[in-house]
Amino acid sequence: MNSSSTQFVTSRRMSAYEPIHQMSMWGESFMSNGNLNASASMIMDADTQLDNQSEDASQGILGSSSKYDQEATKPTDKVQRRLAQNREAARKSRLRKKAYVQQLETSRLKLVQLEQELDRARQQGLYIGSGLDANPLGYSGTMNPGCVAAFEMEYGNWMEEQNKQISELRTVLQAQISDIELHLLVDRGMSHYFKLFSMKSKAAKVDVFYVMSGMWKTSAERFFSWIGGFRPSELLKVLLPQLYPLAEQQHLDVSSLRQSCQQAEDALSQGMDKLQFTLAQTVAADPLGEGIYVPHMAIAMEKLEALVSFVNQADHLRKETLQQMSRILTIRQAARGLLALGEYFQRLRALSSLWTTRPRELT
């Protein structure tokens, strides 16, 4: 038998065993993937390969078995990669869901705790401002009542600490105390005011109207209020006589600071006036009396977001004024200034209490 005949017989033998080899590969694909659609496509590809192999064998062409193995494993590798990607996506989705559930549970616990505090406050008949004004804890403005109560309770605690610090400053200034110890008291007093500014900033994000109106203050304090707090330049005018004697340079520095405060206050006030004007224009953009105003209210809401920035800038100016005064004054002058500042607000609250309880004539 010549070489050509040998090659033909060998090719015929391989083509006879090849279907058995392909069937075993299909069975492995079903077991490993469990995907009927993917396995069906593999069967079609394998059938096509088998037809091609038979045709090549009839023509006397001997293909390499490794070539068919590589062709058969290509779809399997692709499916495996896709399955791995799906498993990873599912794992990340489970983690996100778990984190979301935990966040909801934490929020629920905080809400329960706040409700318990509100119940205790109602039972005790708690009022802020040490009872100096008829502004009950349960005041409900546009802010959520729970948020109002939480802020006012926090402010009530702030006021208690403020009264303690004022009493302590009054005592130490009458006694012999080192500048180092006095410095610690001044720093603590400054930080206490900064804490109030931080509290107001958080409350303004919830309801800026509530903070700007000063409903958490007494009536006399609201009368002198400017963008939710005291006006720095006016306060310097009130406190300056309490700080004498001042050195010449100190007097110049305080005068310069007051002028800078006035300029910043004028800029903020002008910005507020402009915002109020544009807001009024937005609300009255279309003829009134038609009863359709929802689109304009959405635009007005966007403009009102700027009010939060005004509150924060005003408190930043107040904070900078306190810090600059502490740098200009000596440590004992700074302590006297903090004492005078605290007593000034105490007197305003006392004035509110007297006005509220004044005798009224019946007509």
Side-chain angles (χ1 to χ4, degrees):
M1 186 179 295
N2 55 29
S3 60
S4 175
S5 299
T6 301
Q7 183 177 10
F8 176 78
V9 172
T10 304
S11 301
R12 295 295 297 174
R13 289 176 180 174
M14 291 186 63
S15 62
Y17 288 102
E18 196 66 32
I20 298 176
H21 175 67
Q22 292 293 341
M23 288 177 65
S24 64
M25 291 177 57
W26 298 337
E28 294 174 356
S29 298
F30 276 113
M31 294 175 63
S32 62
N33 298 319
N35 190 326
L36 296 179
N37 294 331
S39 301
S41 63
M42 293 179 189
I43 293 173
M44 295 178 62
D45 293 342
D47 287 340
T48 303
Q49 293 175 7
L50 190 60
D51 293 339
N52 294 336
Q53 292 169 10
S54 300
E55 183 179 353
D56 292 342
S58 65
Q59 294 177 0
I61 300 175
L62 181 62
S64 172
S65 61
S66 61
K67 174 182 178 181
Y68 300 118
D69 292 340
Q70 294 174 0
E71 292 295 330
T73 56
K74 281 183 179 180
T76 303
D77 293 342
K78 183 177 181 180
V79 171
Q80 292 293 343
R81 287 195 300 270
R82 186 173 299 171
L83 289 174
Q85 293 174 355
N86 291 341
R87 285 194 294 269
E88 179 64 17
R91 185 184 69 84
K92 292 180 178 180
S93 178
R94 288 193 297 270
L95 291 176
R96 288 194 296 269
K97 182 179 179 181
K98 183 179 180 181
Y100 178 69
V101 171
Q102 291 176 347
Q103 183 180 5
L104 288 178
E105 180 63 17
T106 301
S107 300
R108 185 187 69 81
L109 293 176
K110 289 182 178 180
L111 180 60
V112 171
Q113 182 181 2
L114 179 59
E115 290 176 347
Q116 293 174 351
E117 292 177 354
L118 289 176
D119 290 337
R120 288 194 297 268
R122 294 189 188 100
Q123 293 173 3
Q124 297 172 1
L126 183 62
Y127 287 76
I128 69 166
S130 302
L132 295 176
D133 199 4
N135 185 17
L137 178 67
Y139 168 85
S140 57
T142 56
M143 190 193 293
N144 182 285
C147 297
V148 170
F151 172 77
E152 293 187 353
M153 288 178 64
E154 191 175 6
Y155 180 69
N157 295 331
W158 186 91
M159 283 295 305
E160 291 182 5
E161 177 62 25
Q162 175 76 353
N163 292 334
K164 292 179 182 178
Q165 291 188 9
I166 293 173
S167 178
E168 189 174 4
L169 279 173
R170 186 181 298 112
T171 300
V172 298
L173 284 174
Q174 294 173 355
Q176 295 295 330
I177 185 175
S178 66
D179 287 352
I180 296 178
E181 294 175 303
L182 195 57
H183 202 291
L184 293 175
L185 292 177
V186 170
D187 287 344
R188 191 178 68 176
M190 297 279 289
S191 298
H192 194 59
Y193 280 104
F194 300 162
K195 180 181 178 181
L196 175 61
F197 300 150
S198 178
M199 289 164 47
K200 290 170 57 183
S201 177
K202 294 177 182 178
K205 293 178 182 179
V206 179
D207 188 353
V208 67
F209 289 117
Y210 174 79
V211 175
M212 291 191 64
S213 63
M215 293 303 299
W216 42 279
K217 291 171 173 273
T218 60
S219 55
E221 287 178 295
R222 290 197 298 270
F223 179 75
F224 292 100
S225 181
W226 173 76
I227 313 184
F230 60 84
R231 187 183 288 269
S233 62
E234 292 299 321
L235 197 62
L236 289 176
K237 184 193 299 184
V238 172
L239 296 181
L240 192 58
Q242 310 298 324
L243 301 176
Y244 289 131
L246 291 175
E248 182 179 356
Q249 185 61 46
Q250 286 180 318
H251 197 280
L252 292 175
D253 291 340
V254 172
S255 299
S256 177
L257 176 61
R258 185 183 171 194
Q259 184 178 2
S260 299
C261 288
Q262 287 178 332
Q263 293 174 352
E265 291 165 8
D266 291 343
L268 285 175
S269 297
Q270 291 173 8
M272 287 285 295
D273 292 341
K274 183 177 180 180
L275 175 62
Q276 187 178 23
F277 177 74
T278 56
L279 185 61
Q281 283 186 321
T282 302
V283 172
D286 282 349
L288 302 177
E290 296 181 355
I292 302 175
Y293 49 80
V294 174
H296 302 292
M297 294 303 100
I299 300 175
M301 287 289 292
E302 294 179 359
K303 294 183 180 296
L304 283 177
E305 294 293 333
L307 283 178
V308 178
S309 176
F310 278 106
V311 171
N312 291 334
Q313 290 183 59
D315 276 344
H316 179 72
L317 178 59
R318 288 184 267 265
K319 180 179 178 180
E320 286 293 319
T321 303
L322 291 176
Q323 289 179 327
Q324 289 295 332
M325 284 297 293
S326 68
R327 297 187 184 101
I328 295 173
L329 303 176
T330 66
I331 191 62
R332 293 192 175 273
Q333 288 173 334
R336 284 164 46 202
L338 284 176
L339 176 60
L341 181 62
E343 288 186 341
Y344 174 73
F345 292 129
Q346 282 184 336
R347 292 179 183 183
L348 288 179
R349 289 188 287 270
L351 178 61
S352 297
S353 180
L354 292 172
W355 176 256
T356 302
T357 58
R358 75 189 186 279
R360 296 175 176 83
E361 295 182 0
L362 298 178
T363 57

